[in-house]
Amino acid sequence: MRECSDIGAQQKKRVSKGSHFYSEHIMKKTLKLDPLLREILIDKEVHQFTVTELRDHFMDLYQRSTGKKVDSDEVRKWIYRRVYKMAATGYLDKIYAVDGSVKGYKLSEQFFTVKIKDAEHCHLDSLDAHNKKSNVVKKVVAPKINKNQDIIKS
């Protein structure tokens, strides 16, 4: 009779790196989360959400805590990248619609077993709508250098 550890080792060999089984057994002991995301997911107990709902919660909390407005498209992209990584590592489960598309996400059992730590670098200021607009203006104002024109003038 084979022991469970032998069966588990054989299964691990057959499982690809991107599978849920692999990520469960190689998971990190701590999860670094943006402090505002941690507050939304843990303190406010938002355990089931869509990316849009999470974005709205985040924008509201960010504006109340900093007094700054943020670009909603940039926040949605920023939130989606974090949600995608958390789903890929097994901390979020996808909720599927009848047609098979992803309808939303919910916190997985694995999320509740890991130690949550605030991330040191959140890059929240990069989401500031005022800074975003001023960066765009700087890019538009900066002249483009055409190497062919320089050669012709020489």
Side-chain angles (χ1 to χ4, degrees), residues 36 38-47 57 60-61 64:
L36 296 179
R38 180 196 43 76
E39 185 174 338
I40 294 166
L41 298 175
I42 297 172
D43 299 345
K44 293 188 176 194
E45 298 182 359
V46 177
H47 295 172
H57 284 295
D60 180 51
L61 194 57
R64 281 192 283 131

Side-chain angles (χ1 to χ4, degrees), residues 46-58:
V46 177
H47 295 172
Q48 187 172 328
F49 53 87
T50 65
V51 172
T52 306
E53 290 169 346
L54 191 58
R55 177 206 62 193
D56 293 343
H57 284 295
F58 185 88

Side-chain angles (χ1 to χ4, degrees), residues 26-135:
I26 311 294
M27 71 175 217
K28 295 179 181 179
K29 299 289 182 199
T30 61
L31 172 64
K32 290 184 182 179
L33 262 186
D34 173 85
L36 296 179
L37 278 180
R38 180 196 43 76
E39 185 174 338
I40 294 166
L41 298 175
I42 297 172
D43 299 345
K44 293 188 176 194
E45 298 182 359
V46 177
H47 295 172
Q48 187 172 328
F49 53 87
T50 65
V51 172
T52 306
E53 290 169 346
L54 191 58
R55 177 206 62 193
D56 293 343
H57 284 295
F58 185 88
M59 287 178 60
D60 180 51
L61 194 57
Y62 182 81
Q63 188 171 1
R64 281 192 283 131
S65 64
T66 64
K68 298 178 182 179
K69 290 193 177 222
V70 287
D71 180 32
S72 64
D73 287 337
E74 291 301 316
V75 174
R76 181 186 48 78
K77 292 174 191 175
W78 187 85
I79 291 288
Y80 182 77
R81 285 191 297 270
R82 271 112 197 111
V83 166
Y84 181 83
K85 287 178 185 177
M86 288 176 66
T89 54
Y91 296 117
L92 293 177
D93 291 328
K94 295 178 183 179
I95 301 170
Y96 292 95
V98 176
D99 64 358
S101 62
V102 176
K103 181 176 150 183
Y105 299 89
K106 65 179 181 177
L107 299 178
S108 69
E109 289 180 26
Q110 182 176 334
F111 180 87
F112 295 104
T113 63
V114 72
K115 180 180 177 185
I116 307 294
K117 181 179 178 184
D118 284 349
E120 294 171 9
H121 301 288
C122 303
H123 309 291
L124 294 178
D125 290 332
S126 66
L127 300 176
D128 186 354
H130 177 70
N131 288 342
K132 188 77 173 164
K133 288 178 184 176
S134 64
N135 288 342

